Amino acid sequence: MRNIAKKVIHDHPKSFISMVLLIILSIITSLLPPLALEQIVNHLTDQKEVSLLFALAYLGLIVLSDLFASAQNISITIFGQKLTHGMRSALVQKLNTITTGYLTNHESGAIASVFVNDADIINSLYSEGVVGMIADLFQLIGLLFVVFTRSIGLGFIILIVMPLILVMTRHFQKASLASQKQNRAAIAKVNHHIPETLRVLSMIHIFEKEDYMEDKYDQYIEESYRAQRLDSVYSPIILTIEAVVIGPADDRGRPRADFYTAGINRDGNPKHPRCHGRDEPDPGLFK
């Protein structure tokens, strides 16, 4: 996989450089709206008038930040597709050298799942995991720097809560990794079940096994759904922790500029622990 990434970067250096530059610009511009909002809140707290030009400048910074964030996501997606193309091209070359024993011992749906599902998972790991984590890390460092310059107390509160979230995320990530393996196994069964059903369709009609095949298909789908239950648990916990932390900081009887500086730049969509972990596809075709 490392060789594939190096080859893609070597073949598409402009896409890689533009992606890095857009990530840097996105991190910088994402810190500007909270700083502008801080000045607005301070003016309102001191009962000073906020000029129309200042308000328009704040809105302009928000638009600028969103534009660079969108450009960052687009560049990550474009480079991720190039990486996926290179990875699938390598898989096709690997497929030509696979022994007949491997094809005999593995279901056709499992092999197809490696090409389709596992490749998409690696792409998600790249776009939502590795690159996203690096961008979020530098953005978090910049945000913590701003918070500490405005409110040391709030900064220490965040530093105390962050290890707790890290431990919880690590726990969910391990459970999520096992669930993802179960999910991919269920998807592989579905991919094998459909063509197998079509291949022996006449035999199914002769022995009147339509209900049996339908029940097996429903069983595989239910296994896939059960493997994704963590998606509905992790985000509410993160939102609850966020409310508990920022609630006391805001309950001061008047607006707090440091609170808004720390809170306004939040993502708003808590990352699922899968994005912070490492999904492990079937290594049979990647050796």
Side-chain angles (χ1 to χ4, degrees), residues 168-190:
M168 185 193 70
T169 301
R170 180 58 179 170
H171 173 74
F172 272 87
Q173 180 248 323
K174 290 182 178 179
S176 178
L177 178 58
S179 298
Q180 281 301 297
K181 290 182 178 179
Q182 297 176 4
N183 182 35
R184 289 202 297 274
I187 293 176
K189 291 179 181 178
V190 172

Side-chain angles (χ1 to χ4, degrees), residues 12-279:
H12 306 280
K14 294 182 179 180
S15 298
F16 179 74
I17 294 174
S18 62
M19 180 189 68
V20 174
L21 292 177
L22 287 173
I23 290 175
I24 295 174
L25 292 174
S26 176
I27 294 172
I28 295 175
T29 54
S30 65
L31 298 176
L32 298 179
L35 294 176
L37 183 59
E38 176 194 16
Q39 299 300 321
I40 294 176
V41 173
N42 288 340
H43 276 69
L44 294 176
T45 303
D46 297 336
Q47 297 182 354
K48 295 181 180 179
E49 182 180 356
V50 178
S51 64
L52 178 61
L53 182 62
F54 201 174
L56 292 177
Y58 171 65
L59 294 177
L61 290 176
I62 294 178
V63 173
L64 182 65
S65 175
D66 291 341
L67 287 176
F68 275 109
S70 299
Q72 168 191 306
N73 294 332
I74 292 173
S75 64
I76 291 175
T77 301
I78 292 175
F79 190 79
Q81 292 301 313
K82 296 182 185 298
L83 186 64
T84 304
H85 179 270
M87 180 173 50
R88 285 179 174 159
S89 299
L91 284 173
V92 171
Q93 296 177 1
K94 180 67 175 179
L95 185 61
N96 296 328
T97 61
I98 289 180
T99 60
T100 56
Y102 183 90
L103 297 176
T104 304
N105 296 328
H106 291 76
E107 298 177 350
S108 59
I111 299 176
S113 179
V114 172
F115 278 83
V116 180
N117 300 315
D118 286 355
D120 290 338
I121 288 173
I122 293 178
N123 182 33
S124 299
L125 173 64
Y126 152 78
S127 59
E128 299 177 4
V130 178
V131 179
M133 284 177 59
I134 294 175
D136 291 343
L137 175 62
F138 284 103
Q139 185 174 347
L140 179 62
I141 293 174
L143 182 60
L144 286 176
F145 175 77
V146 173
V147 171
F148 269 100
T149 57
R150 287 349 186 234
S151 174
I152 298 179
L154 183 59
F156 278 112
I157 291 176
I158 295 176
L159 288 181
I160 293 173
V161 174
M162 282 178 60
L164 300 178
I165 296 178
L166 179 62
V167 172
M168 185 193 70
T169 301
R170 180 58 179 170
H171 173 74
F172 272 87
Q173 180 248 323
K174 290 182 178 179
S176 178
L177 178 58
S179 298
Q180 281 301 297
K181 290 182 178 179
Q182 297 176 4
N183 182 35
R184 289 202 297 274
I187 293 176
K189 291 179 181 178
V190 172
N191 292 338
H192 176 72
H193 184 78
I194 294 177
E196 186 69 15
T197 301
L198 296 175
R199 188 174 66 86
V200 297
L201 189 59
S202 59
M203 187 178 297
I204 294 174
H205 289 316
I206 292 174
F207 290 98
E208 298 181 351
K209 292 296 183 179
E210 293 88 350
D211 293 338
Y212 171 78
M213 298 301 290
E214 183 178 354
D215 292 339
K216 292 295 291 183
Y217 184 80
D218 291 339
Q219 176 184 345
Y220 297 150
I221 295 296
E222 290 177 1
E223 289 178 3
S224 176
Y225 284 144
R226 285 197 301 267
Q228 303 181 57
R229 288 179 296 179
L230 287 176
D231 290 345
S232 59
V233 177
Y234 182 77
S235 294
I237 295 178
I238 293 297
L239 293 174
T240 302
I241 294 176
E242 178 183 350
V244 170
V245 171
I246 68 178
D250 192 36
D251 190 17
R252 300 295 182 89
R254 67 183 185 90
R256 288 294 305 271
D258 50 287
F259 159 71
Y260 287 105
T261 303
I264 200 67
N265 200 39
R266 297 285 305 206
D267 190 339
N269 295 314
K271 303 291 185 182
H272 191 274
R274 285 200 307 265
C275 300
H276 300 282
R278 180 172 61 89
D279 288 327

